[in-house]
């Protein structure tokens, strides 16, 4: 099988021909940031918002962005030309390769840029129609979860808890409040009102979260952004996950107990439909352009 084309420091190469130095600070320290962008039929969904978030992550870790947003979009489109269809575009920028291992951030090294494309694993029809099971766990991660950092050990260990339990995600609780899940944001619904945790340093501000907030406002769905207590999560009529790859997905079992009726609720169905309409409109706008 031929190796898929990927991007490495400005070049398009087969993935198996890309070699990273063992001194790269991404390898040694997890010193880097990343993005995951869903691509539908060759068109990136909310590319500009993803690259603006990449800029914010880079600012937070004091990394100079090697490209403008438009430069990133051009480089992504050049790579995507090799990968038609529905894809997940992964972009990673690490601090680069210093001459020696030292925690102190080195001056004047060039960031390492890597981009690859994998087939987009959208939720199955089964998952959309019946929802998924999740478990909860203590949020034992650091206090800079707003940075989309490649240092993901906390998220990896959190996700493994649900993988071991045969569940789709691990929903995280810190000091009695909902934060997010290991690789998704979380929404709860009670009495027809949606609530989502505030976008502070304890969660990643999801591009899908932002889109859902906007679609809810446009679609007349009541949504509050405020701290959500663990008790509210456990008593919710509906719980949803959101991410670029999961879109919006209903959680119908939490820690082995049914959420609400145990089936995806009416507000989930509404938001899912609004999300699908948004995707369809994106495809139509590209055809017209
Ligand atoms: N994860 N919170 C965390 C911790 C995440 O890792 C993600 C996304 C989200 C949702 O963000 P967005 O809507 O922008 O995808 C929230 C990606 C998909 C990943 O790491 O694969």
């Amino acid at each position: 099988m031929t190796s898929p084309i990927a991007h490495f420091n400005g070049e398009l190469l087969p993935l198996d021909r890309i070699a990273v130095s063992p001194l790269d600070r991404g390898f040694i320290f997890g010193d880097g940031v990343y993005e995951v962008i869903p691509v539908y039929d060759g068109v990136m969904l909310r590319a500009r918002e993803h690259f603006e978030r990449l800029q914010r992550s880079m600012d937070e870790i004091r990394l100079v962005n090697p490209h403008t947003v438009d430069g990133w979009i051009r480089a992504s489109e050049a790579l995507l030309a090799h990968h038609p269809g529905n894809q997940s575009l992964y972009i990673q920028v690490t601090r680069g390769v210093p001459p020696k291992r030292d925690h102190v951030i080195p001056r004047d090294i060039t960031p390492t840029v890597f981009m690859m494309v994998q087939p987009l694993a959208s939720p199955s029809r089964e998952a959309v129609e019946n929802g998924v099971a999740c478990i909860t766990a203590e949020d034992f991660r650091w206090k800079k979860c707003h940075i989309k950092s490649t240092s993901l050990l906390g998220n990896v260990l959190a996700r493994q808890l649900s993988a071991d339990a045969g569940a789709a995600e691990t929903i995280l609780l810190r000091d009695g409040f909902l934060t997010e899940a290991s690789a998704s944001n979380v929404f709860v619904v009670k009495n027809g009102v949606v609530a989502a945790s505030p976008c502070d340093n304890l969660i990643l501000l999801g591009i899908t979260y932002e889109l859902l907030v906007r679609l809810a406002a446009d679609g007349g769905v009541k949504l509050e952004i405020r701290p959500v207590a663990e008790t509210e999560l456990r008593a919710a009529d509906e719980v949803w996950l959101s991410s670029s790859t999961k879109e919006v997905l209903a959680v119908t079992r939490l820690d082995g107990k049914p959420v609400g009726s145990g089936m995806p609720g009416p507000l989930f169905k509404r938001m899912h439909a609004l999300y699908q309409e948004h995707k369809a409109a994106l495809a139509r706008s590209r055809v017209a352009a």
Side-chain angles (χ1 to χ4, degrees):
M1 221 177 84
T2 56
S3 184
I5 298 294
H7 172 121
F8 188 63
N9 292 337
E11 275 188 90
L12 292 175
L13 296 167
L15 188 61
D16 63 4
R17 283 197 27 223
I18 295 174
V20 181
S21 163
L23 282 178
D24 192 290
R25 285 177 65 100
F27 181 66
I28 295 274
F29 292 121
D31 184 356
V33 292
Y34 76 105
E35 280 297 327
V36 176
I37 307 182
V39 181
Y40 298 98
D41 216 359
V43 182
M44 289 179 275
L45 183 64
R46 298 183 87 68
R48 195 158 285 282
E49 288 80 358
H50 279 277
F51 287 118
E52 284 168 2
R53 182 172 65 183
L54 184 67
Q55 178 70 61
R56 294 197 297 277
S57 294
M58 292 175 93
D59 291 345
E60 287 282 343
I61 73 161
R62 308 192 207 179
L63 187 54
V64 177
N65 195 338
H67 299 299
T68 59
V69 168
D70 288 319
W72 279 113
I73 290 176
R74 275 195 300 277
S76 303
E77 284 174 346
L79 175 58
L80 287 169
H82 294 266
H83 301 274
N86 291 357
Q87 306 288 355
S88 161
L89 171 64
Y90 177 82
I91 300 118
Q92 170 173 314
V93 187
T94 75
R95 185 93 47 197
V97 185
K100 65 179 172 71
R101 180 182 181 275
D102 181 350
H103 284 62
V104 177
I105 297 175
R107 288 171 186 270
D108 303 329
I109 59 168
T110 309
T112 304
V113 174
F114 172 62
M115 300 202 268
M116 67 174 171
V117 176
Q118 294 184 343
L120 181 64
S122 291
S124 64
R125 178 192 279 258
E126 214 281 310
V128 173
E129 286 178 359
N130 296 324
V132 295
C134 289
I135 64 161
T136 57
E138 184 202 336
D139 194 342
F140 42 66
R141 300 172 304 158
W142 68 337
K143 290 191 180 161
K144 285 183 182 275
C145 299
H146 60 301
I147 303 174
K148 200 160 171 65
S149 159
T150 58
S151 307
L152 283 173
L153 192 51
N155 303 62
V156 165
L157 293 177
R159 175 66 184 101
Q160 193 57 38
L161 297 173
S162 48
D164 291 345
E169 251 291 24
T170 307
I171 295 181
L172 300 169
L173 298 159
R174 199 192 278 261
D175 303 327
F177 286 87
L178 166 70
T179 52
E180 56 179 344
S182 76
S184 348
N185 291 115
V186 179
F187 295 79
V188 301
V189 179
K190 189 74 184 175
N191 299 330
V193 182
V194 189
S197 310
C199 301
D200 53 17
N201 59 314
L202 300 181
I203 74 164
L204 181 77
L205 171 50
I207 303 302
T208 322
Y209 168 120
E210 281 187 299
L211 177 57
L212 291 176
V213 169
R214 215 192 71 199
L215 293 176
D218 294 350
V221 175
K222 276 194 210 135
L223 188 148
E224 296 172 349
I225 296 177
R226 57 167 178 81
V228 176
E230 175 175 352
T231 47
E232 293 181 76
L233 171 71
R234 299 206 182 277
D237 299 331
E238 301 183 29
V239 176
W240 317 332
L241 300 172
S242 78
S243 84
S244 295
T245 47
K246 293 187 193 78
E247 307 186 339
V248 54
L249 203 53
V251 177
T252 45
R253 291 190 81 75
L254 188 64
D255 291 332
K257 299 193 186 87
V259 174
S261 67
M263 286 302 283
L267 279 184
F268 164 75
K269 288 184 186 156
R270 174 112 176 91
M271 287 312 300
H272 186 263
L274 289 170
Y275 194 90
Q276 298 311 315
E277 274 167 31
H278 180 83
K279 271 166 49 181
L282 175 85
R284 279 198 303 275
S285 70
R286 274 310 158 106
V287 172

